[in-house]
């Protein structure tokens, strides 16, 4: 059964990745067709063709390697017909790129080419793919935090500490000299549901904790629901040193990574964990936080890749927040699906992984280097700057920017991307990230 769950987790992520890639390409395809560009192919994957079907002028299909996708737009660059063949390695690369580009321009459709579109239309076409991944991430995170919820302490009490022991103590039982906890003294019982504290309604345990921690030595009116009826209790929190926790019950850490300990009001109540649904704004907020996190990873990518290489050679532990290959994401999905936890918890983690994957596709594709979408956007914007400059000084409109001249740089970027993918693939096979211990 565990193996089936593991395989199921991998399949969930592969299908999710395929849909994410497919929708990314739809984000390019739809505006391209709306703007009249001839699109010859819409393909998911690379390598040998597995299946395809031509609908109208566009061939739709799947290829063997599910490592991405593409659409083939007519005339990405200006035509080079009539130019003399070039000599030299780089010039040959440029000429080959121009020849391949010329082959996409169908006879009779010379005006239905990408490079002749206004700059703003080209930007929309190239931005459409990454934006589709961002929208998908927002939808996934909204379903996750608003539909399923975030696992937090609920207002239902799961246990009440019998006594008060120092935060640093490792004792598991009360000693005779230990004082009774305020919650036990007030008569709070497991199963009670907190309704209000000191006249303030509470809907999460975090709200209740905030009130208690701010009120050491003060007698608070505590209203609980017990067996369907509300009861009013008197709770007097004591001042005690306690580890500060977040809404999910995890310790808050300082800059050195140590738990933050403060003297706060303490009652001795332990909440029951559960999924708490968040407002609709929480989905976009979660997506924005993930965008910032992935952008930070991209900025420090060379250092993180170096760390991956070092951990691969030395066998050291991988950074769980570091980059992963498709294999690494699949392994994590399999481990999550096979772990011993409630189904809803596992599904929530898988959704979170898929949302993060779409954020990564959004941010990574905006890197301003060819052959990524961000590189094509920069080329279009540069042409817009040149045209605006010429118009400002009443000069003739400049020729379209020939991005094939950047083919040598594109090749270097492609080689680096392949190298990065190979490193991460090997690391994920032989020294994978371990999130579940």
């Amino acid at each position: 059964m565990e193996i089936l769950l593991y395989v199921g987790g991998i399949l969930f992520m592969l299908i999710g990745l395929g849909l994410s890639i497919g929708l990314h390409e739809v984000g390019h395809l739809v505006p391209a067709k709306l703007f009249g560009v001839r699109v010859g192919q819409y393909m998911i994957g690379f390598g040998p063709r597995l299946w395809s079907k031509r609908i109208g002028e566009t061939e739709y299909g799947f290829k063997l390697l599910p490592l991405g996708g593409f659409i083939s737009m007519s005339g990405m660059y200006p035509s080079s017909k009539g130019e003399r063949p070039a000599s030299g390695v780089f010039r040959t690369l440029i000429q080959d790129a121009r020849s391949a580009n010329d082959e996409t321009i169908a006879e009779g459709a010379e005006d239905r080419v990408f490079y002749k579109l206004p700059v703003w239309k080209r930007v929309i076409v190239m931005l459409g793919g990454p934006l589709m991944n961002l929208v998908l991430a927002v939808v996934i995170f909204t379903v996750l935090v608003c539909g399923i919820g975030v696992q937090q302490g609920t207002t239902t009490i799961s246990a009440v500490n019998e006594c008060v022991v120092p935060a640093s103590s490792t004792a598991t039982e009360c000693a005779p000299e230990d004082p009774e906890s305020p919650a036990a003294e007030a008569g709070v019982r497991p199963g009670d549901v907190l309704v209000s504290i000191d006249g303030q309604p509470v809907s999460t345990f975090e709200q209740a904790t905030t009130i208690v921690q701010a009120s050491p030595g003060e007698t608070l009116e505590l209203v609980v629901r017990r067996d369907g009826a509300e009861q009013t209790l008197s709770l007097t929190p004591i001042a005690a040193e306690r580890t500060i926790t977040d809404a999910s019950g995890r310790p808050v850490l300082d800059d050195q990574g140590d738990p933050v300990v403060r003297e706060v009001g303490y009652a001795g109540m332990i909440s029951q964990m559960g999924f708490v649904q968040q407002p609709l704004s929480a989905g976009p907020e979660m997506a924005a936080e993930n965008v910032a996190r992935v952008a930070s990873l991209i900025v420090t990518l060379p250092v993180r890749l170096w760390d991956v290489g070092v951990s691969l050679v030395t066998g050291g532990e991988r950074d769980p927040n570091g980059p992963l290959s498709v294999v690494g994401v699949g392994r994590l999905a399999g481990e999550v699906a096979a772990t011993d936890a409630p189904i809803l918890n596992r599904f929530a983690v898988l959704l979170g992984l898929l949302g993060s994957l779409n954020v990564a596709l959004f941010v990574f594709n905006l890197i301003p280097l060819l052959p990524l979408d961000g590189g094509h956007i920069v080329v279009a914007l540069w042409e817009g700057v040149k045209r605006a400059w010429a118009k400002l000084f009443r000069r003739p409109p400049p020729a379209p920017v020939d991005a094939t001249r950047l083919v040598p740089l594109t090749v270097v970027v492609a080689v680096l991307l392949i190298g990065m993918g190979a490193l991460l693939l090997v690391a994920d096979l032989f020294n994978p990230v371990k999130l579940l211990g």
Side-chain angles (χ1 to χ4, degrees), residues 155 194-204 207-208 211 221 223:
T155 53
L194 303 181
V195 177
S196 66
I197 301 180
D198 197 28
Q200 301 181 47
V202 292
S203 57
T204 66
Q207 294 173 339
I211 297 171
E221 185 180 84
V223 178

Side-chain angles (χ1 to χ4, degrees), residues 236-325:
T236 306
I238 64 170
E241 286 193 344
R242 283 293 176 267
T243 300
I244 305 301
T245 58
D246 60 18
S248 301
R250 294 185 295 264
V252 175
L253 306 179
D254 59 19
D255 295 337
Q256 285 71 43
D258 299 320
V260 176
V261 178
R262 294 179 189 155
E263 186 173 84
V264 295
Y266 173 74
M269 299 181 292
I270 300 173
S271 71
Q272 179 177 302
M273 298 300 291
F275 286 99
V276 178
Q277 294 180 340
Q278 307 296 306
L280 284 175
S281 60
E285 289 173 2
M286 191 173 185
E289 291 172 1
N290 272 264
V291 168
R293 191 178 302 115
V294 174
S296 174
L297 186 150
I298 295 295
V299 170
T300 59
L301 189 57
V303 175
R304 291 177 180 267
L305 289 174
W306 174 263
D307 292 339
V308 170
V310 170
S311 65
L312 176 62
V313 174
T314 62
E317 187 174 348
R318 294 267 301 276
D319 178 4
N321 296 316
L324 297 171
S325 69

Side-chain angles (χ1 to χ4, degrees), residues 99-418:
S99 299
N101 176 72
D102 292 343
E103 291 176 1
T104 66
I105 304 176
E107 186 175 351
E110 290 83 3
D111 291 330
R112 297 180 58 202
V113 290
F114 177 77
Y115 80 89
K116 288 186 177 181
L117 290 178
V119 170
W120 65 273
K121 289 186 177 181
R122 275 185 277 169
V123 171
I124 287 177
V125 171
M126 299 315 301
L127 201 56
L131 282 180
M132 184 66 80
N133 290 121
L134 179 61
V135 169
L136 189 55
V138 170
V139 170
I140 291 172
F141 286 135
T142 301
V143 170
L144 175 62
V145 299
C146 303
I148 298 176
V150 175
Q151 197 167 33
Q152 297 178 349
T154 66
T155 53
T156 300
I157 303 302
S158 64
V160 176
N161 292 334
E162 296 179 7
C163 61
V164 180
V165 295
S168 58
S169 174
T170 58
T172 57
E173 295 184 1
C174 294
E177 64 274 11
D178 291 332
E180 188 177 18
S181 75
E185 187 177 2
V188 180
R189 300 177 187 176
D192 286 351
V193 179
L194 303 181
V195 177
S196 66
I197 301 180
D198 197 28
Q200 301 181 47
V202 292
S203 57
T204 66
F205 193 71
E206 182 185 17
Q207 294 173 339
T209 300
T210 300
I211 297 171
V212 169
Q213 289 183 344
S215 310
E218 300 179 19
T219 300
L220 305 174
E221 185 180 84
L222 175 65
V223 178
V224 300
R225 185 179 298 108
R226 181 183 299 167
D227 298 328
E230 292 187 358
Q231 296 191 22
T232 302
L233 308 174
S234 293
L235 176 70
T236 306
I238 64 170
E241 286 193 344
R242 283 293 176 267
T243 300
I244 305 301
T245 58
D246 60 18
S248 301
R250 294 185 295 264
V252 175
L253 306 179
D254 59 19
D255 295 337
Q256 285 71 43
D258 299 320
V260 176
V261 178
R262 294 179 189 155
E263 186 173 84
V264 295
Y266 173 74
M269 299 181 292
I270 300 173
S271 71
Q272 179 177 302
M273 298 300 291
F275 286 99
V276 178
Q277 294 180 340
Q278 307 296 306
L280 284 175
S281 60
E285 289 173 2
M286 191 173 185
E289 291 172 1
N290 272 264
V291 168
R293 191 178 302 115
V294 174
S296 174
L297 186 150
I298 295 295
V299 170
T300 59
L301 189 57
V303 175
R304 291 177 180 267
L305 289 174
W306 174 263
D307 292 339
V308 170
V310 170
S311 65
L312 176 62
V313 174
T314 62
E317 187 174 348
R318 294 267 301 276
D319 178 4
N321 296 316
L324 297 171
S325 69
V326 174
V327 171
V329 174
R331 290 188 70 153
L332 287 182
E335 289 181 11
V336 169
T339 193
D340 184 16
I343 294 177
L344 188 59
N345 294 54
R346 287 179 276 175
F347 182 64
V349 175
L350 289 174
L351 270 185
L353 280 174
L354 185 58
S356 298
L357 185 62
N358 274 276
V359 168
L361 289 172
F362 165 70
V363 176
F364 190 77
N365 275 284
L366 289 183
I367 295 176
L369 293 171
L370 292 171
L372 301 173
D373 296 332
H376 291 286
I377 293 172
V378 168
V379 169
L381 292 176
W382 173 240
E383 182 170 319
V385 170
K386 291 180 64 177
R387 289 182 180 180
W389 185 266
K391 186 176 181 179
L392 179 64
F393 290 96
R394 298 181 180 180
R395 294 176 180 175
V401 173
D402 185 4
T404 59
R405 296 180 181 275
L406 299 175
V407 164
L409 176 60
T410 304
V411 170
V412 172
V413 173
V415 169
L416 291 176
L417 292 176
I418 293 172

